[in-house]
CSV table of all heavy atoms in Angstrom, one decimal:
chain,number,residue,atom,x,y,z
A,1,MET,N,-22.2,5.0,-64.4
A,1,MET,CA,-23.3,5.6,-65.1
A,1,MET,C,-24.5,5.7,-64.2
A,1,MET,O,-25.2,6.7,-64.1
A,1,MET,CB,-23.6,4.7,-66.4
A,1,MET,CG,-24.9,5.1,-67.1
A,1,MET,SD,-24.5,6.4,-68.3
A,1,MET,CE,-26.1,6.5,-69.1
A,2,GLU,N,-24.9,4.6,-63.6
A,2,GLU,CA,-26.1,4.6,-62.7
A,2,GLU,C,-25.9,5.6,-61.6
A,2,GLU,O,-26.9,6.3,-61.2
A,2,GLU,CB,-26.4,3.2,-62.2
A,2,GLU,CG,-27.7,3.2,-61.4
A,2,GLU,CD,-28.0,1.8,-60.9
A,2,GLU,OE1,-28.2,0.9,-61.7
A,2,GLU,OE2,-28.1,1.6,-59.7
A,3,LYS,N,-24.7,5.7,-61.0
A,3,LYS,CA,-24.5,6.7,-59.9
A,3,LYS,C,-24.8,8.1,-60.4
A,3,LYS,O,-25.4,8.9,-59.7
A,3,LYS,CB,-23.1,6.5,-59.4
A,3,LYS,CG,-22.8,7.4,-58.2
A,3,LYS,CD,-21.4,7.0,-57.6
A,3,LYS,CE,-21.2,7.8,-56.3
A,3,LYS,NZ,-20.0,7.3,-55.6
A,4,LYS,N,-24.3,8.5,-61.6
A,4,LYS,CA,-24.5,9.8,-62.1
A,4,LYS,C,-26.0,10.1,-62.3
A,4,LYS,O,-26.5,11.1,-62.0
A,4,LYS,CB,-23.8,10.0,-63.4
A,4,LYS,CG,-22.3,10.2,-63.3
A,4,LYS,CD,-21.7,10.4,-64.6
A,4,LYS,CE,-20.2,10.5,-64.5
A,4,LYS,NZ,-19.6,10.9,-65.8
A,5,LEU,N,-26.7,9.1,-62.8
A,5,LEU,CA,-28.2,9.2,-63.0
A,5,LEU,C,-28.9,9.4,-61.6
A,5,LEU,O,-29.7,10.3,-61.5
A,5,LEU,CB,-28.7,7.9,-63.7
A,5,LEU,CG,-30.3,7.9,-63.8
A,5,LEU,CD1,-30.8,9.0,-64.7
A,5,LEU,CD2,-30.7,6.5,-64.3
A,6,ILE,N,-28.5,8.6,-60.6
A,6,ILE,CA,-29.2,8.8,-59.3
A,6,ILE,C,-28.8,10.1,-58.7
A,6,ILE,O,-29.7,10.8,-58.2
A,6,ILE,CB,-28.8,7.6,-58.4
A,6,ILE,CG1,-29.4,6.3,-59.0
A,6,ILE,CG2,-29.2,7.8,-57.0
A,6,ILE,CD1,-29.0,5.0,-58.2
A,7,TYR,N,-27.6,10.6,-58.8
A,7,TYR,CA,-27.2,11.9,-58.3
A,7,TYR,C,-28.0,13.0,-59.0
A,7,TYR,O,-28.5,13.9,-58.4
A,7,TYR,CB,-25.7,12.1,-58.6
A,7,TYR,CG,-24.8,11.8,-57.4
A,7,TYR,CD1,-24.9,10.5,-56.8
A,7,TYR,CD2,-23.9,12.7,-56.9
A,7,TYR,CE1,-24.1,10.2,-55.8
A,7,TYR,CE2,-23.1,12.3,-55.9
A,7,TYR,CZ,-23.2,11.1,-55.3
A,7,TYR,OH,-22.4,10.7,-54.2
A,8,LYS,N,-28.2,12.8,-60.3
A,8,LYS,CA,-29.0,13.8,-61.1
A,8,LYS,C,-30.4,13.8,-60.6
A,8,LYS,O,-31.0,14.9,-60.4
A,8,LYS,CB,-28.9,13.5,-62.6
A,8,LYS,CG,-29.7,14.5,-63.4
A,8,LYS,CD,-29.6,14.2,-64.9
A,8,LYS,CE,-30.3,15.2,-65.7
A,8,LYS,NZ,-30.3,14.8,-67.1
A,9,MET,N,-31.0,12.7,-60.4
A,9,MET,CA,-32.4,12.6,-59.9
A,9,MET,C,-32.5,13.1,-58.5
A,9,MET,O,-33.5,13.8,-58.2
A,9,MET,CB,-32.9,11.1,-60.0
A,9,MET,CG,-33.0,10.7,-61.4
A,9,MET,SD,-33.4,8.9,-61.6
A,9,MET,CE,-35.2,9.0,-61.2
A,10,ILE,N,-31.5,12.9,-57.6
A,10,ILE,CA,-31.6,13.5,-56.3
A,10,ILE,C,-31.5,15.0,-56.4
A,10,ILE,O,-32.3,15.7,-55.7
A,10,ILE,CB,-30.4,12.9,-55.4
A,10,ILE,CG1,-30.6,11.4,-55.2
A,10,ILE,CG2,-30.2,13.7,-54.1
A,10,ILE,CD1,-29.3,10.8,-54.5
A,11,ARG,N,-30.6,15.5,-57.2
A,11,ARG,CA,-30.5,16.9,-57.4
A,11,ARG,C,-31.8,17.6,-57.9
A,11,ARG,O,-32.2,18.6,-57.4
A,11,ARG,CB,-29.4,17.3,-58.4
A,11,ARG,CG,-29.1,18.8,-58.5
A,11,ARG,CD,-27.9,19.1,-59.3
A,11,ARG,NE,-27.9,18.5,-60.6
A,11,ARG,CZ,-27.1,17.5,-61.0
A,11,ARG,NH1,-26.2,17.0,-60.2
A,11,ARG,NH2,-27.2,16.9,-62.2
A,12,GLN,N,-32.5,16.9,-58.8
A,12,GLN,CA,-33.8,17.4,-59.3
A,12,GLN,C,-34.8,17.4,-58.2
A,12,GLN,O,-35.6,18.4,-58.1
A,12,GLN,CB,-34.2,16.6,-60.5
A,12,GLN,CG,-33.4,16.8,-61.7
A,12,GLN,CD,-33.8,15.8,-62.8
A,12,GLN,OE1,-34.4,14.8,-62.6
A,12,GLN,NE2,-33.4,16.2,-64.0
A,13,CYS,N,-34.8,16.4,-57.3
A,13,CYS,CA,-35.7,16.4,-56.2
A,13,CYS,C,-35.5,17.6,-55.2
A,13,CYS,O,-36.4,18.2,-54.8
A,13,CYS,CB,-35.7,15.1,-55.4
A,13,CYS,SG,-36.5,13.7,-56.2
A,14,PHE,N,-34.2,17.8,-55.0
A,14,PHE,CA,-33.8,18.9,-54.1
A,14,PHE,C,-34.3,20.2,-54.7
A,14,PHE,O,-34.7,21.1,-54.0
A,14,PHE,CB,-32.3,18.9,-53.8
A,14,PHE,CG,-31.9,18.0,-52.7
A,14,PHE,CD1,-30.8,17.1,-52.9
A,14,PHE,CD2,-32.5,18.0,-51.5
A,14,PHE,CE1,-30.4,16.3,-51.9
A,14,PHE,CE2,-32.1,17.2,-50.4
A,14,PHE,CZ,-31.1,16.3,-50.6
A,15,GLN,N,-34.1,20.4,-56.0
A,15,GLN,CA,-34.6,21.6,-56.7
A,15,GLN,C,-36.1,21.8,-56.6
A,15,GLN,O,-36.5,22.9,-56.4
A,15,GLN,CB,-34.1,21.6,-58.2
A,15,GLN,CG,-32.6,21.7,-58.4
A,15,GLN,CD,-32.2,21.6,-59.8
A,15,GLN,OE1,-33.0,21.1,-60.6
A,15,GLN,NE2,-31.0,22.0,-60.1
A,16,GLN,N,-36.8,20.7,-56.6
A,16,GLN,CA,-38.3,20.8,-56.4
A,16,GLN,C,-38.6,21.4,-55.1
A,16,GLN,O,-39.6,22.2,-54.9
A,16,GLN,CB,-38.9,19.5,-56.5
A,16,GLN,CG,-39.0,19.0,-57.9
A,16,GLN,CD,-39.7,17.6,-58.0
A,16,GLN,OE1,-39.6,16.8,-57.0
A,16,GLN,NE2,-40.4,17.3,-59.0
A,17,TYR,N,-37.8,21.1,-54.1
A,17,TYR,CA,-38.1,21.6,-52.7
A,17,TYR,C,-37.2,22.8,-52.4
A,17,TYR,O,-37.2,23.3,-51.3
A,17,TYR,CB,-37.7,20.5,-51.7
A,17,TYR,CG,-38.6,19.3,-51.7
A,17,TYR,CD1,-38.2,18.1,-52.2
A,17,TYR,CD2,-39.9,19.4,-51.3
A,17,TYR,CE1,-39.0,17.0,-52.2
A,17,TYR,CE2,-40.8,18.3,-51.3
A,17,TYR,CZ,-40.3,17.1,-51.7
A,17,TYR,OH,-41.2,16.0,-51.8
A,18,GLU,N,-36.6,23.3,-53.4
A,18,GLU,CA,-35.7,24.5,-53.3
A,18,GLU,C,-34.7,24.4,-52.2
A,18,GLU,O,-34.6,25.2,-51.3
A,18,GLU,CB,-36.6,25.8,-53.2
A,18,GLU,CG,-37.5,26.0,-54.3
A,18,GLU,CD,-38.4,27.2,-54.2
A,18,GLU,OE1,-38.4,27.9,-53.1
A,18,GLU,OE2,-39.1,27.6,-55.1
A,19,HIS,N,-34.0,23.3,-52.2
A,19,HIS,CA,-33.0,23.0,-51.1
A,19,HIS,C,-31.7,22.5,-51.8
A,19,HIS,O,-31.7,21.9,-52.8
A,19,HIS,CB,-33.6,21.8,-50.3
A,19,HIS,CG,-32.7,21.5,-49.1
A,19,HIS,ND1,-32.7,22.2,-48.0
A,19,HIS,CD2,-31.8,20.5,-49.0
A,19,HIS,CE1,-31.8,21.6,-47.1
A,19,HIS,NE2,-31.3,20.6,-47.7
A,20,GLU,N,-30.6,22.9,-51.1
A,20,GLU,CA,-29.3,22.5,-51.6
A,20,GLU,C,-28.7,21.5,-50.6
A,20,GLU,O,-29.0,21.5,-49.4
A,20,GLU,CB,-28.4,23.7,-51.7
A,20,GLU,CG,-28.7,24.7,-52.8
A,20,GLU,CD,-28.5,24.1,-54.2
A,20,GLU,OE1,-27.5,23.3,-54.4
A,20,GLU,OE2,-29.3,24.4,-55.1
A,21,ALA,N,-27.9,20.6,-51.1
A,21,ALA,CA,-27.2,19.6,-50.2
A,21,ALA,C,-25.7,19.5,-50.5
A,21,ALA,O,-25.3,19.8,-51.6
A,21,ALA,CB,-27.9,18.3,-50.4
A,22,CYS,N,-25.0,19.1,-49.5
A,22,CYS,CA,-23.5,18.9,-49.8
A,22,CYS,C,-23.3,17.5,-50.4
A,22,CYS,O,-24.1,16.7,-50.4
A,22,CYS,CB,-22.8,19.1,-48.4
A,22,CYS,SG,-23.1,17.8,-47.2
A,23,GLU,N,-22.0,17.3,-50.8
A,23,GLU,CA,-21.7,16.1,-51.4
A,23,GLU,C,-21.8,14.9,-50.5
A,23,GLU,O,-22.2,13.8,-50.9
A,23,GLU,CB,-20.2,16.2,-51.9
A,23,GLU,CG,-19.7,15.0,-52.7
A,23,GLU,CD,-20.4,14.9,-54.1
A,23,GLU,OE1,-20.9,15.9,-54.6
A,23,GLU,OE2,-20.6,13.8,-54.6
A,24,ALA,N,-21.6,15.1,-49.2
A,24,ALA,CA,-21.7,14.0,-48.2
A,24,ALA,C,-23.2,13.5,-48.1
A,24,ALA,O,-23.5,12.4,-48.0
A,24,ALA,CB,-21.2,14.4,-46.9
A,25,ASP,N,-24.1,14.5,-48.2
A,25,ASP,CA,-25.6,14.2,-48.2
A,25,ASP,C,-26.0,13.4,-49.4
A,25,ASP,O,-26.7,12.4,-49.4
A,25,ASP,CB,-26.4,15.4,-48.1
A,25,ASP,CG,-26.2,16.1,-46.8
A,25,ASP,OD1,-25.9,15.5,-45.8
A,25,ASP,OD2,-26.5,17.4,-46.7
A,26,TYR,N,-25.4,13.8,-50.6
A,26,TYR,CA,-25.7,13.0,-51.8
A,26,TYR,C,-25.2,11.6,-51.7
A,26,TYR,O,-25.9,10.7,-52.1
A,26,TYR,CB,-25.0,13.7,-53.0
A,26,TYR,CG,-25.8,14.9,-53.6
A,26,TYR,CD1,-25.5,16.2,-53.3
A,26,TYR,CD2,-26.7,14.7,-54.6
A,26,TYR,CE1,-26.2,17.2,-53.8
A,26,TYR,CE2,-27.4,15.7,-55.2
A,26,TYR,CZ,-27.1,17.0,-54.8
A,26,TYR,OH,-27.8,18.0,-55.3
A,27,GLU,N,-24.0,11.4,-51.2
A,27,GLU,CA,-23.4,10.1,-51.0
A,27,GLU,C,-24.3,9.2,-50.1
A,27,GLU,O,-24.5,8.1,-50.3
A,27,GLU,CB,-22.0,10.2,-50.6
A,27,GLU,CG,-21.3,8.9,-50.6
A,27,GLU,CD,-21.2,8.2,-52.0
A,27,GLU,OE1,-21.1,9.0,-53.0
A,27,GLU,OE2,-21.2,7.0,-52.1
A,28,LYS,N,-24.7,9.8,-49.0
A,28,LYS,CA,-25.5,9.1,-48.0
A,28,LYS,C,-26.8,8.7,-48.6
A,28,LYS,O,-27.3,7.5,-48.4
A,28,LYS,CB,-25.8,10.1,-46.8
A,28,LYS,CG,-26.0,9.4,-45.5
A,28,LYS,CD,-26.3,10.3,-44.4
A,28,LYS,CE,-25.2,11.4,-44.2
A,28,LYS,NZ,-25.5,12.3,-43.1
A,29,LEU,N,-27.5,9.6,-49.3
A,29,LEU,CA,-28.7,9.3,-50.0
A,29,LEU,C,-28.5,8.2,-51.1
A,29,LEU,O,-29.3,7.3,-51.2
A,29,LEU,CB,-29.4,10.5,-50.6
A,29,LEU,CG,-30.0,11.5,-49.6
A,29,LEU,CD1,-30.3,12.8,-50.2
A,29,LEU,CD2,-31.2,10.9,-49.0
A,30,TYR,N,-27.4,8.4,-51.8
A,30,TYR,CA,-27.1,7.4,-52.9
A,30,TYR,C,-27.0,6.0,-52.3
A,30,TYR,O,-27.6,5.0,-52.8
A,30,TYR,CB,-25.8,7.8,-53.6
A,30,TYR,CG,-25.4,6.7,-54.6
A,30,TYR,CD1,-26.0,6.5,-55.8
A,30,TYR,CD2,-24.3,5.9,-54.2
A,30,TYR,CE1,-25.6,5.5,-56.7
A,30,TYR,CE2,-23.9,4.9,-55.1
A,30,TYR,CZ,-24.5,4.7,-56.3
A,30,TYR,OH,-24.1,3.7,-57.1
A,31,GLU,N,-26.2,5.8,-51.2
A,31,GLU,CA,-26.0,4.5,-50.6
A,31,GLU,C,-27.3,4.0,-50.1
A,31,GLU,O,-27.6,2.8,-50.3
A,31,GLU,CB,-25.0,4.7,-49.4
A,31,GLU,CG,-23.6,5.0,-49.8
A,31,GLU,CD,-23.0,3.9,-50.7
A,31,GLU,OE1,-23.3,2.7,-50.5
A,31,GLU,OE2,-22.2,4.3,-51.5
A,32,ARG,N,-28.2,4.8,-49.5
A,32,ARG,CA,-29.5,4.3,-49.0
A,32,ARG,C,-30.4,3.9,-50.2
A,32,ARG,O,-31.0,2.8,-50.1
A,32,ARG,CB,-30.1,5.5,-48.3
A,32,ARG,CG,-31.5,5.1,-47.7
A,32,ARG,CD,-32.0,6.2,-46.9
A,32,ARG,NE,-33.4,5.9,-46.7
A,32,ARG,CZ,-34.3,6.7,-46.3
A,32,ARG,NH1,-34.0,8.0,-46.1
A,32,ARG,NH2,-35.6,6.4,-46.1
A,33,ILE,N,-30.4,4.6,-51.2
A,33,ILE,CA,-31.2,4.3,-52.4
A,33,ILE,C,-30.8,3.0,-53.0
A,33,ILE,O,-31.6,2.1,-53.4
A,33,ILE,CB,-31.2,5.5,-53.4
A,33,ILE,CG1,-32.0,6.6,-52.8
A,33,ILE,CG2,-31.9,5.0,-54.7
A,33,ILE,CD1,-31.8,8.0,-53.5
A,34,VAL,N,-29.5,2.8,-53.2
A,34,VAL,CA,-29.0,1.6,-53.8
A,34,VAL,C,-29.3,0.4,-52.9
A,34,VAL,O,-29.7,-0.7,-53.4
A,34,VAL,CB,-27.4,1.7,-54.0
A,34,VAL,CG1,-26.8,0.3,-54.4
A,34,VAL,CG2,-27.2,2.7,-55.1
A,35,GLU,N,-29.2,0.6,-51.6
A,35,GLU,CA,-29.5,-0.5,-50.7
A,35,GLU,C,-31.0,-0.9,-50.8
A,35,GLU,O,-31.4,-2.1,-50.8
A,35,GLU,CB,-29.2,-0.1,-49.3
A,35,GLU,CG,-29.4,-1.2,-48.2
A,35,GLU,CD,-29.0,-0.7,-46.8
A,35,GLU,OE1,-27.9,-0.2,-46.7
A,35,GLU,OE2,-29.9,-0.7,-45.9
A,36,GLU,N,-31.9,0.1,-50.8
A,36,GLU,CA,-33.3,-0.1,-50.9
A,36,GLU,C,-33.7,-0.7,-52.2
A,36,GLU,O,-34.6,-1.6,-52.3
A,36,GLU,CB,-34.1,1.2,-50.6
A,36,GLU,CG,-34.1,1.6,-49.2
A,36,GLU,CD,-34.9,2.8,-49.0
A,36,GLU,OE1,-35.8,3.1,-49.8
A,36,GLU,OE2,-34.7,3.5,-47.9
A,37,GLN,N,-33.0,-0.3,-53.3
A,37,GLN,CA,-33.3,-0.8,-54.6
A,37,GLN,C,-32.9,-2.3,-54.7
A,37,GLN,O,-33.7,-3.1,-55.3
A,37,GLN,CB,-32.5,0.0,-55.7
A,37,GLN,CG,-32.8,-0.4,-57.1
A,37,GLN,CD,-32.0,0.4,-58.1
A,37,GLN,OE1,-30.8,0.8,-57.8
A,37,GLN,NE2,-32.5,0.6,-59.2
A,38,ALA,N,-31.9,-2.7,-54.0
A,38,ALA,CA,-31.5,-4.1,-54.0
A,38,ALA,C,-32.5,-5.0,-53.3
A,38,ALA,O,-32.8,-6.1,-53.6
A,38,ALA,CB,-30.1,-4.3,-53.4
A,39,GLN,N,-33.1,-4.4,-52.2
A,39,GLN,CA,-34.1,-5.1,-51.4
A,39,GLN,C,-35.5,-5.1,-52.0
A,39,GLN,O,-36.2,-6.1,-51.9
A,39,GLN,CB,-34.2,-4.5,-50.0
A,39,GLN,CG,-33.0,-4.6,-49.2
A,39,GLN,CD,-33.1,-3.9,-47.9
A,39,GLN,OE1,-34.1,-3.2,-47.6
A,39,GLN,NE2,-32.0,-4.0,-47.1
A,40,GLU,N,-35.8,-4.0,-52.7
A,40,GLU,CA,-37.2,-3.8,-53.3
A,40,GLU,C,-37.1,-3.6,-54.8
A,40,GLU,O,-37.2,-2.5,-55.3
A,40,GLU,CB,-37.9,-2.7,-52.6
A,40,GLU,CG,-38.0,-2.8,-51.1
A,40,GLU,CD,-38.6,-1.6,-50.5
A,40,GLU,OE1,-39.4,-0.9,-51.1
A,40,GLU,OE2,-38.3,-1.3,-49.3
A,41,GLU,N,-36.8,-4.7,-55.5
A,41,GLU,CA,-36.6,-4.6,-56.9
A,41,GLU,C,-37.8,-4.1,-57.7
A,41,GLU,O,-37.7,-3.6,-58.8
A,41,GLU,CB,-36.1,-5.9,-57.5
A,41,GLU,CG,-34.8,-6.3,-56.9
A,41,GLU,CD,-34.3,-7.7,-57.4
A,41,GLU,OE1,-35.0,-8.3,-58.2
A,41,GLU,OE2,-33.2,-8.1,-56.9
A,42,GLN,N,-39.0,-4.3,-57.2
A,42,GLN,CA,-40.2,-4.0,-57.9
A,42,GLN,C,-40.6,-2.5,-57.8
A,42,GLN,O,-41.4,-2.0,-58.6
A,42,GLN,CB,-41.4,-4.8,-57.4
A,42,GLN,CG,-41.2,-6.3,-57.6
A,42,GLN,CD,-41.1,-6.7,-59.0
A,42,GLN,OE1,-41.7,-6.1,-59.9
A,42,GLN,NE2,-40.2,-7.6,-59.3
A,43,VAL,N,-40.0,-1.8,-56.9
A,43,VAL,CA,-40.3,-0.4,-56.7
A,43,VAL,C,-39.5,0.5,-57.7
A,43,VAL,O,-38.3,0.3,-57.8
A,43,VAL,CB,-40.0,0.1,-55.2
A,43,VAL,CG1,-40.3,1.6,-55.0
A,43,VAL,CG2,-40.7,-0.8,-54.2
A,44,PRO,N,-40.2,1.3,-58.4
A,44,PRO,CA,-39.5,2.2,-59.4
A,44,PRO,C,-38.4,3.1,-58.7
A,44,PRO,O,-38.6,3.5,-57.6
A,44,PRO,CB,-40.6,3.0,-60.0
A,44,PRO,CG,-41.8,2.3,-59.7
A,44,PRO,CD,-41.6,1.6,-58.4
A,45,LEU,N,-37.3,3.3,-59.4
A,45,LEU,CA,-36.2,4.1,-58.9
A,45,LEU,C,-36.7,5.5,-58.5
A,45,LEU,O,-36.3,6.0,-57.4
A,45,LEU,CB,-35.1,4.2,-59.9
A,45,LEU,CG,-33.9,5.0,-59.5
A,45,LEU,CD1,-33.2,4.3,-58.3
A,45,LEU,CD2,-32.9,5.0,-60.7
A,46,PHE,N,-37.5,6.1,-59.3
A,46,PHE,CA,-37.9,7.5,-58.9
A,46,PHE,C,-38.7,7.6,-57.6
A,46,PHE,O,-38.6,8.5,-56.9
A,46,PHE,CB,-38.7,8.2,-60.1
A,46,PHE,CG,-40.1,7.7,-60.2
A,46,PHE,CD1,-41.2,8.3,-59.6
A,46,PHE,CD2,-40.4,6.6,-61.1
A,46,PHE,CE1,-42.4,7.8,-59.7
A,46,PHE,CE2,-41.7,6.1,-61.2
A,46,PHE,CZ,-42.7,6.7,-60.5
A,47,GLU,N,-39.4,6.5,-57.3
A,47,GLU,CA,-40.2,6.5,-56.0
A,47,GLU,C,-39.2,6.3,-54.9
A,47,GLU,O,-39.4,7.0,-53.8
A,47,GLU,CB,-41.1,5.3,-56.0
A,47,GLU,CG,-42.4,5.6,-56.7
A,47,GLU,CD,-43.4,4.5,-56.5
A,47,GLU,OE1,-43.5,3.8,-55.4
A,47,GLU,OE2,-44.2,4.2,-57.4
A,48,LEU,N,-38.2,5.5,-55.0
A,48,LEU,CA,-37.2,5.3,-54.0
A,48,LEU,C,-36.5,6.7,-53.7
A,48,LEU,O,-36.2,7.1,-52.6
A,48,LEU,CB,-36.2,4.3,-54.3
A,48,LEU,CG,-36.7,2.8,-54.4
A,48,LEU,CD1,-35.6,1.9,-54.9
A,48,LEU,CD2,-37.2,2.4,-53.0
A,49,ILE,N,-36.1,7.4,-54.8
A,49,ILE,CA,-35.4,8.6,-54.7
A,49,ILE,C,-36.3,9.7,-54.0
A,49,ILE,O,-35.9,10.4,-53.1
A,49,ILE,CB,-34.9,9.1,-56.0
A,49,ILE,CG1,-33.8,8.1,-56.5
A,49,ILE,CG2,-34.4,10.5,-56.0
A,49,ILE,CD1,-33.3,8.3,-57.9
A,50,ASN,N,-37.5,9.8,-54.5
A,50,ASN,CA,-38.4,10.8,-53.9
A,50,ASN,C,-38.7,10.5,-52.4
A,50,ASN,O,-38.7,11.5,-51.6
A,50,ASN,CB,-39.8,10.8,-54.7
A,50,ASN,CG,-39.7,11.5,-56.0
A,50,ASN,OD1,-38.9,12.4,-56.2
A,50,ASN,ND2,-40.5,11.1,-56.9
A,51,ASP,N,-38.9,9.3,-52.1
A,51,ASP,CA,-39.1,8.9,-50.7
A,51,ASP,C,-37.9,9.3,-49.8
A,51,ASP,O,-38.0,9.8,-48.7
A,51,ASP,CB,-39.4,7.4,-50.5
A,51,ASP,CG,-40.8,7.1,-51.1
A,51,ASP,OD1,-41.6,8.0,-51.3
A,51,ASP,OD2,-41.1,5.9,-51.2
A,52,ALA,N,-36.7,8.9,-50.3
A,52,ALA,CA,-35.4,9.2,-49.6
A,52,ALA,C,-35.2,10.7,-49.4
A,52,ALA,O,-34.8,11.1,-48.3
A,52,ALA,CB,-34.3,8.5,-50.3
A,53,VAL,N,-35.4,11.4,-50.4
A,53,VAL,CA,-35.2,12.9,-50.3
A,53,VAL,C,-36.2,13.5,-49.4
A,53,VAL,O,-35.9,14.3,-48.5
A,53,VAL,CB,-35.2,13.6,-51.7
A,53,VAL,CG1,-35.2,15.1,-51.6
A,53,VAL,CG2,-34.0,13.1,-52.5
A,54,TYR,N,-37.5,13.1,-49.5
A,54,TYR,CA,-38.5,13.7,-48.6
A,54,TYR,C,-38.2,13.3,-47.2
A,54,TYR,O,-38.3,14.2,-46.3
A,54,TYR,CB,-39.9,13.1,-49.0
A,54,TYR,CG,-41.0,13.6,-48.2
A,54,TYR,CD1,-41.5,14.9,-48.4
A,54,TYR,CD2,-41.5,12.9,-47.1
A,54,TYR,CE1,-42.5,15.4,-47.6
A,54,TYR,CE2,-42.5,13.4,-46.3
A,54,TYR,CZ,-43.0,14.6,-46.6
A,54,TYR,OH,-44.0,15.1,-45.8
A,55,GLU,N,-37.8,12.1,-46.9
A,55,GLU,CA,-37.5,11.7,-45.5
A,55,GLU,C,-36.3,12.5,-45.0
A,55,GLU,O,-36.3,12.9,-43.9
A,55,GLU,CB,-37.3,10.2,-45.4
A,55,GLU,CG,-37.1,9.8,-44.0
A,55,GLU,CD,-37.0,8.2,-43.9
A,55,GLU,OE1,-37.8,7.6,-44.6
A,55,GLU,OE2,-36.2,7.8,-43.2
A,56,TYR,N,-35.3,12.7,-45.9
A,56,TYR,CA,-34.1,13.5,-45.5
A,56,TYR,C,-34.5,14.9,-45.1
A,56,TYR,O,-34.0,15.4,-44.1
A,56,TYR,CB,-33.1,13.5,-46.7
A,56,TYR,CG,-32.0,14.5,-46.5
A,56,TYR,CD1,-30.9,14.2,-45.7
A,56,TYR,CD2,-32.1,15.7,-47.1
A,56,TYR,CE1,-29.9,15.1,-45.6
A,56,TYR,CE2,-31.1,16.7,-47.0
A,56,TYR,CZ,-30.0,16.4,-46.2
A,56,TYR,OH,-29.0,17.3,-46.0
A,57,LEU,N,-35.4,15.5,-45.9
A,57,LEU,CA,-35.8,16.9,-45.7
A,57,LEU,C,-36.7,17.1,-44.5
A,57,LEU,O,-36.7,18.1,-43.8
A,57,LEU,CB,-36.5,17.5,-46.9
A,57,LEU,CG,-35.5,17.7,-48.1
A,57,LEU,CD1,-36.4,18.1,-49.3
A,57,LEU,CD2,-34.5,18.7,-47.8
A,58,THR,N,-37.5,16.1,-44.2
A,58,THR,CA,-38.4,16.2,-43.0
A,58,THR,C,-37.8,15.7,-41.7
A,58,THR,O,-38.5,16.0,-40.7
A,58,THR,CB,-39.7,15.4,-43.3
A,58,THR,OG1,-39.4,14.0,-43.6
A,58,THR,CG2,-40.4,16.0,-44.5
A,59,ASN,N,-36.7,15.1,-41.7
A,59,ASN,CA,-36.1,14.7,-40.4
A,59,ASN,C,-34.9,15.6,-40.0
A,59,ASN,O,-34.4,16.4,-40.6
A,59,ASN,CB,-35.6,13.3,-40.5
A,59,ASN,CG,-36.7,12.3,-40.5
A,59,ASN,OD1,-37.8,12.6,-40.0
A,59,ASN,ND2,-36.5,11.2,-41.2
C-alpha cells in the first residue's frame, strides 16, 4: 500500500515538472525515499519526495 502511495506522489511531482520517467527511475526514487524516511522520521513524506524528484531532475 505504501509503495503505491509513494509511486503516486512521485508521479504527481513529475507531472508538476511536466516530465515522464521510466519504471526503473520510479524504483530508484522509491528506494531512496524509503531509506531517507527511515533515517529522518520527523521529515514529512511529501518533503522527501519533492526533494528526491527535484534532485533527480536537476542532476
Side-chain angles (χ1 to χ4, degrees):
M1 170 87 172
E2 186 176 299
K3 186 172 186 172
K4 287 183 181 182
L5 174 64
I6 292 174
Y7 267 51
K8 181 179 179 182
M9 292 175 78
I10 292 170
R11 184 174 51 250
Q12 288 173 340
C13 282
F14 277 131
Q15 287 174 347
Q16 285 179 329
Y17 292 110
E18 298 178 355
H19 184 80
E20 291 292 323
C22 66
E23 187 66 29
D25 293 335
Y26 277 95
E27 188 62 33
K28 208 181 307 181
L29 285 169
Y30 171 76
E31 293 296 328
R32 179 176 168 199
I33 290 164
V34 169
E35 183 179 304
E36 287 183 21
Q37 187 180 29
Q39 293 174 359
E40 302 176 29
E41 295 176 3
Q42 299 299 322
V43 179
L45 181 60
F46 74 91
E47 279 188 33
L48 293 174
I49 292 171
N50 285 333
D51 290 348
V53 171
Y54 180 78
E55 188 173 315
Y56 168 82
L57 292 173
T58 57
N59 288 332

